[in-house]
Amino acid sequence: MKRYGNLYDKICDMDNLRLAHKNARKDKSHYKAVQMVDSNPDYYLSQIREMLLNKTYNVSPYTYRKIMDKGKERELAKLPYFPDRIIQWAILLQIEPIFRKVFTNFTCASLKKRGIHKASRLTDKYMEDRPGTAYCLKIDVNKFYPNINHEILKTMLRKKFKDNDLLELLDKIIDSMPGEKGVPIGSYLSQYLANFYLAYFDHWLKEIKRVKYIVRYMDDITIYNESKEFLHALLRDMEEYLQNNLKLSVKDNWQVFPTDIRGVDFVGYRHFYGYKLLRKSTCKNFKRKMLNIKKKIQKGLNISYSEWCSANSYKGWLTWCDGFRLMQKYIAPLQPTLEKYYQENIKRKAAV
């Protein structure tokens, strides 16, 4: 396994820090901390550089916020923009290409050009082989982010990097979460560390177990095969591998089912042989929200920015599936109002 060194000086380089600030500030220009750094970038980025070179940087305290995600409560951890988020971007600018070399082509989520639609397209592609995808094994890892073991993660990083200064910095970030396990949900670097934590499990599935059809969207995994017996046996091996090597477990809601009867409900869509539909719960929410907007328009009331965003978001979801009829019935009647809102509120403000 190739190990990489001489990265820390590149992380501390002012050009790298300038690019890190440029990337980290996207869509955040209204943040006070972003405006502060923008007021004198070289001054503030030089401060970060000195922190890194003198090893005086310590991870700032997290602020926590709870959200509901697909019916589950999740706790997001947020770091200050200065210096923490800039530093994490500076690190990733140097190590992301190395991580990507480790990731398999079916590793999705939190990676550029490897989001929901990449996972969905892979599923569509695999299902072109109807006999070979007759059955699906669907699992997700039990409390994945909170159960990432610090020492195992550090050991894995040491097999990939030989730069002690970089490893010391990564250790600080990993250990900023109290206890022996867990990386924060919501941190930009955490997304890559989480994907890296499962990267060699991906290779084990592909190269040792010889599984042909796999899609992993972070800790949600679908595997396809012609035999349900094979998938049940594979599940037992996967549970053993995850426990012995990564101290992880499979959630009890795993399923093995025939794909032609149920389709595959994955990353927001229901995938069938030859077509794809919006997930039932998403479709139900979509109809309710669009009807509410329609009633508002019929009463002569103005729509809000949130409603304009919601309609366009669902429009995007429908574009990627067989949603023509839903588009015509629920979006098309609203389109004149959506366009008017864009012209009068979005485009006009952008021009000012």
Side-chain angles (χ1 to χ4, degrees), residues 65-76 138-146 185 217-221 251-253 279 281:
R65 178 169 64 94
K66 291 184 179 181
I67 64 165
M68 293 301 295
D69 179 28
K70 294 183 289 187
K72 295 181 284 188
E73 187 177 77
R74 299 187 188 277
E75 188 172 61
L76 299 184
K138 186 179 180 184
I139 72 161
D140 62 298
V141 176
N142 188 37
K143 295 181 179 178
F144 175 49
Y145 273 81
I185 300 174
Y217 189 81
M218 196 52 78
D219 61 313
D220 291 331
I221 304 170
K251 196 178 288 187
D252 291 338
N253 64 351
R279 175 177 285 159
S281 58

Side-chain angles (χ1 to χ4, degrees), residues 154-170:
K154 290 178 187 178
T155 300
M156 292 174 67
L157 289 168
R158 278 156 176 76
K159 291 179 179 178
K160 183 51 60 179
F161 301 106
K162 57 183 178 181
D163 185 322
N164 289 329
D165 291 332
L166 169 61
L167 291 167
E168 182 182 329
L169 178 57
L170 290 173

Side-chain angles (χ1 to χ4, degrees), residues 31 73 90 96 129 214 230 246 259 268 309 316 338-339:
Y31 283 24
E73 187 177 77
E96 181 187 10
D129 178 5
I214 319 164
F230 171 85
L246 300 174
T259 53
C309 289
L338 298 175
E339 180 61 28

Side-chain angles (χ1 to χ4, degrees), residues 3 50 288 322 332:
R3 297 173 71 221
E50 290 302 311
R288 175 176 53 81
D322 294 272

Side-chain angles (χ1 to χ4, degrees), residues 24-242:
R25 73 182 298 283
K26 286 179 181 176
D27 301 321
K28 299 177 181 67
S29 59
H30 58 288
Y31 283 24
K32 289 182 179 179
V34 173
Q35 294 170 0
M36 178 189 77
V37 178
D38 282 344
S39 68
N40 194 344
D42 283 355
Y43 170 74
Y44 289 105
L45 297 178
S46 294
Q47 284 190 340
I48 292 178
R49 186 170 186 271
E50 290 302 311
M51 291 180 202
L52 294 174
L53 291 175
N54 297 330
K55 308 290 183 69
T56 58
Y57 168 70
N58 289 303
V59 180
S60 302
Y62 291 94
T63 56
Y64 294 93
R65 178 169 64 94
K66 291 184 179 181
I67 64 165
M68 293 301 295
D69 179 28
K70 294 183 289 187
K72 295 181 284 188
E73 187 177 77
R74 299 187 188 277
E75 188 172 61
L76 299 184
K78 186 178 180 181
L79 285 170
Y81 181 81
F82 177 88
D84 302 87
R85 291 203 226 175
I86 297 174
I87 287 175
Q88 291 204 6
W89 259 102
I91 295 169
L92 277 169
L93 284 169
Q94 298 304 319
I95 69 174
E96 181 187 10
I98 297 168
F99 276 156
R100 280 186 169 269
K101 290 179 182 178
V102 181
F103 299 151
T104 59
N105 64 355
F106 58 82
T107 303
C108 302
S110 305
L111 301 171
K112 189 176 181 181
K113 296 183 179 180
R114 292 201 190 189
I116 285 172
H117 298 304
K118 164 74 173 180
S120 182
R121 287 195 303 271
L122 271 177
T123 304
D124 292 336
K125 180 181 177 181
Y126 293 162
M127 290 180 72
E128 290 174 4
D129 178 5
R130 189 160 186 159
T133 59
Y135 293 93
C136 174
L137 165 62
K138 186 179 180 184
I139 72 161
D140 62 298
V141 176
N142 188 37
K143 295 181 179 178
F144 175 49
Y145 273 81
N147 282 320
I148 292 176
N149 184 280
H150 289 183
E151 289 308 311
I152 294 174
L153 177 57
K154 290 178 187 178
T155 300
M156 292 174 67
L157 289 168
R158 278 156 176 76
K159 291 179 179 178
K160 183 51 60 179
F161 301 106
K162 57 183 178 181
D163 185 322
N164 289 329
D165 291 332
L166 169 61
L167 291 167
E168 182 182 329
L169 178 57
L170 290 173
D171 286 353
K172 279 186 179 182
I173 293 170
I174 293 167
D175 290 334
S176 66
M177 290 297 287
E180 298 178 352
K181 58 186 182 179
V183 296
I185 300 174
S187 167
Y188 190 59
L189 182 57
S190 292
Q191 298 168 358
Y192 280 84
L193 293 176
N195 264 321
F196 180 68
Y197 197 71
L198 288 177
Y200 296 102
F201 171 63
D202 292 340
H203 285 278
W204 173 80
L205 284 170
K206 197 72 174 179
E207 296 153 19
I208 305 300
K209 303 307 292 183
R210 300 292 181 182
V211 178
K212 187 175 181 180
Y213 297 129
I214 319 164
V215 188
R216 178 169 71 78
Y217 189 81
M218 196 52 78
D219 61 313
D220 291 331
I221 304 170
T222 54
I223 298 175
Y224 307 87
N225 195 265
E226 61 189 12
S227 164
K228 62 180 179 181
E229 289 77 20
F230 171 85
L231 293 176
H232 278 288
L234 178 65
L235 172 63
R236 292 191 290 271
D237 291 343
M238 290 167 67
E239 288 176 319
E240 184 177 340
Y241 180 100
L242 289 169

Side-chain angles (χ1 to χ4, degrees), residues 300-317:
L301 301 174
N302 294 325
I303 65 171
S304 66
Y305 175 70
S306 175
E307 289 167 331
W308 180 83
C309 289
S310 179
N312 281 285
S313 175
Y314 281 114
K315 187 176 178 180
W317 278 94

Side-chain angles (χ1 to χ4, degrees), residues 272-285:
F272 296 91
Y273 290 110
Y275 66 100
K276 178 166 58 182
L277 303 176
L278 208 57
R279 175 177 285 159
K280 283 185 178 180
S281 58
T282 306
C283 189
K284 184 178 179 180
N285 289 332

